[in-house]
Amino acid sequence: MSGLIDEVIAPASVKSLCEARGVWHDFTLPNGMPMRVLEDITLVVKADEVVALLGPSGCGKSTILRILAGLIQPTRGEVLYHGTRLRGLNPGVAMVFQSFALLPWMTVAQNVQVVLKAAGLSAAQIKQRAENAIRMVGLGGSEEAYPRELSGGMKQRVGMARALAVNPEILFMDEPFCQVDALTAESLRAEVLDIWSAKDHNLSSILMVTHDIKEAVYMADRIVVLSVNPGRVRTVVENRLPRPRDYRSAGSLQLVDHLHDIITGAEMPDVPAEVSASKEQEPFEPLPRASSNEVVGLLEYLDARGGKEDMFRIAADTNREFGRVITVVKAAEMLDFVDTPKRTVALTSLGQRFVKATPAERKTVWREQLLTLRLFREVLAILKRRARNEIHRDELVELIQANLPQENYERVLDTFIRWARFGDLFAYDENEQIMSLQ
């Protein structure tokens, strides 16, 4: 890897286009409680580079993008554009969204022109810029088509044309290729890099959000790896692979493996947590937002492959986002169904027993494992003390908020209810919002 990549913890001290300094951000939950999503984020977008934000779901990648664009004001810290503190929208940025964000009642040309009209340009300038941008992304001849008549790849090209039409200095891309098929995504990545490298326009740099490690390696000069809960910069990896790049080259594959190990090492550490002196001292565990069906599906997948598989291969075989796979694996590991040595996910003896069990036996095993988690034990103890063996949803919310104040209580409660139902541990009445002993 020497000469191709280097890890650095802080950005180089050079003049930047856009910079986040010590950015923290909290969202306010419906109950008024703050939920921290970003903590002490510092990163720089320099001239003539492509930077990728890479990390698992929920690590705040899109929030960082929106803060740097001026769409969200950070709770703490500052954003600078050309060394000057940003106030309001970033004037040098245009955004490409993953959802296309096209206006269905407008044609291709009108969807591009709408942002130019908002910029106050003359009719002649609007027409010329829109035509140039549409031609640049390969949509010449489709100006009068409506979004419903376009494929996913063509819709994203319209989104790119709309962003490029305003002649930005930095192009922000929020998972821009996740809504299209793999072949179209490959083509679009190459075209974006061709446009960026042409240098016959104002576009200097690209900042993109991705969950796809191979995409980051193919596109980026620097890859910012984020950890989760709250989002932090874990490390920054310099990518010195020469362009144009080949997904299958030895250097690309080596860097993919390296990034994979960084992410799995952070999210699925091999070092076991210290055992508490007593059950009462055990911490409350935040529940990964994974359904029982996803966990069972993972266990059955592993069983069909001899009991273990590389985590990266699992994501590829199941066509799931890598961050999503990590979440499901975390849930399975929390229930002691799998172990995660290095980058491998392996069935434990209990996981093997679960897979071979009948449906009724699976529920019994699942129920037993739920009671190894403190949140489920606490609720069971409360229910047993009540004359009617019931607890209202509001009390469950208070319990979660008191013991997991940084977590999204709605998500934790939803997972709690689903897991409890699957194991026939508790019953939950949606109408009355009452949980009771099964």
Side-chain angles (χ1 to χ4, degrees):
M1 246 179 290
S2 178
L4 292 180
I5 62 171
D6 293 302
E7 287 179 40
V8 295
I9 301 303
S13 56
V14 298
K15 180 177 170 63
S16 69
L17 299 184
C18 188
E19 181 178 356
R21 288 185 183 173
V23 164
W24 299 56
H25 193 65
D26 297 339
F27 285 125
T28 303
L29 298 173
N31 66 341
M33 295 283 289
M35 180 181 71
R36 179 149 298 155
V37 291
L38 295 176
E39 184 173 290
D40 199 19
I41 299 293
T42 294
L43 64 89
V44 172
V45 180
K46 296 176 282 189
D48 302 316
E49 69 169 352
V50 179
V51 179
L53 302 179
L54 177 68
S57 297
C59 68
K61 301 186 294 291
S62 296
T63 303
I64 293 173
L65 209 66
R66 282 156 174 75
I67 287 174
L68 288 173
L71 296 170
I72 298 174
Q73 294 301 307
T75 305
R76 260 168 64 187
E78 61 181 359
V79 175
L80 300 139
Y81 178 62
H82 282 280
T84 301
R85 185 163 187 172
L86 183 67
R87 301 188 186 281
L89 296 179
N90 193 323
V93 165
M95 182 100 63
V96 177
F97 302 93
Q98 59 176 285
S99 60
F100 313 135
L102 303 182
L103 301 173
W105 61 88
M106 289 187 176
T107 64
V108 167
Q110 290 168 339
N111 265 286
V112 176
Q113 291 169 358
V114 69
V115 295
L116 299 172
K117 290 177 180 177
L121 300 179
S122 68
Q125 289 175 312
I126 290 171
K127 185 175 185 296
Q128 185 61 50
R129 280 212 197 178
E131 288 177 355
N132 290 343
I134 290 169
R135 187 167 55 251
M136 190 185 301
V137 300
L139 283 180
S142 300
E143 290 84 353
E144 299 307 312
Y146 286 90
R148 64 178 179 274
E149 301 170 312
L150 306 177
S151 66
M154 292 175 74
K155 289 177 183 176
Q156 193 56 287
R157 289 173 195 270
V158 179
M160 288 161 50
R162 182 177 53 197
L164 293 169
V166 299
N167 203 24
E169 186 176 28
I170 314 173
L171 185 64
F172 282 9
M173 308 182 79
D174 190 359
E175 300 197 42
F177 313 119
C178 68
Q179 300 286 347
V180 299
D181 62 87
L183 289 177
T184 300
E186 279 196 26
S187 174
L188 288 172
R189 290 182 198 119
E191 290 183 33
V192 168
L193 291 177
D194 286 344
I195 292 169
W196 165 72
S197 62
K199 302 305 178 188
D200 56 355
H201 41 61
N202 192 46
L203 180 61
S204 174
S205 299
I206 296 173
L207 176 63
M208 63 181 297
V209 164
T210 182
H211 62 262
D212 188 326
I213 297 176
K214 288 183 285 187
E215 180 173 276
V217 168
Y218 180 77
M219 296 198 69
D221 300 300
R222 288 190 301 124
I223 302 163
V224 181
V225 183
L226 300 165
S227 57
V228 72
N229 291 329
R232 302 182 185 91
V233 176
R234 177 169 172 76
T235 190
V236 181
V237 176
E238 299 279 353
N239 181 359
R240 294 178 179 167
L241 291 168
R243 300 182 187 276
R245 294 172 183 160
D246 183 346
Y247 292 97
R248 295 166 293 280
S249 72
S252 291
L253 295 174
Q254 188 179 21
L255 184 48
V256 166
D257 285 345
H258 179 60
L259 289 165
H260 181 273
D261 288 342
I262 290 173
I263 294 174
T264 54
E267 299 302 315
M268 308 297 301
D270 294 331
V271 180
E274 293 184 10
V275 178
S276 300
S278 70
K279 292 290 186 183
E280 288 71 27
Q281 293 175 334
E282 287 181 6
F284 283 77
E285 308 90 342
L287 305 180
R289 197 180 187 188
S291 70
S292 54
N293 287 339
E294 287 177 307
V295 174
V296 173
L298 170 67
L299 303 185
E300 291 176 343
Y301 168 94
L302 293 172
D303 182 59
R305 285 154 182 79
K308 63 181 180 179
E309 187 54 270
D310 178 271
M311 199 178 302
F312 200 43
R313 171 57 59 186
I314 295 172
D317 285 350
T318 59
N319 196 30
R320 303 296 295 275
E321 177 195 348
F322 185 64
R324 186 71 207 144
V325 171
I326 287 180
T327 299
V328 178
V329 171
K330 272 187 174 180
E333 188 170 40
M334 179 178 282
L335 296 169
D336 293 327
F337 292 141
V338 302
D339 194 12
T340 55
K342 302 289 183 187
R343 49 190 282 172
T344 301
V345 184
L347 286 174
T348 61
S349 57
L350 182 64
Q352 293 171 346
R353 175 184 151 204
F354 181 91
V355 171
K356 304 300 182 187
T358 65
E361 290 168 341
R362 285 186 176 187
K363 285 184 177 293
T364 299
V365 173
W366 185 279
R367 185 164 60 247
E368 291 170 351
Q369 292 312 109
L370 291 185
L371 292 175
T372 66
L373 306 178
R374 186 171 178 188
L375 181 57
F376 289 90
R377 291 200 308 274
E378 288 287 329
V379 173
L380 179 62
I382 292 170
L383 290 173
K384 285 185 174 180
R385 290 196 298 267
R386 301 282 174 86
R388 297 178 53 135
N389 304 127
E390 293 179 347
I391 183 172
H392 192 272
R393 179 185 182 280
D394 290 346
E395 291 182 79
L396 291 171
V397 168
E398 289 178 5
L399 180 66
I400 293 168
Q401 289 175 340
N403 293 284
L404 296 167
Q406 300 298 334
E407 299 297 317
N408 183 321
Y409 73 89
E410 291 281 6
R411 292 181 181 179
V412 173
L413 180 58
D414 180 66
T415 300
F416 178 86
I417 292 170
R418 289 171 182 270
W419 286 14
R421 281 174 163 172
F422 182 77
D424 288 340
L425 180 59
F426 307 130
Y428 185 72
D429 187 318
E430 297 280 358
N431 295 323
E432 299 296 327
Q433 297 189 322
I434 295 290
M435 178 165 279
S436 58
L437 286 176
Q438 182 69 25

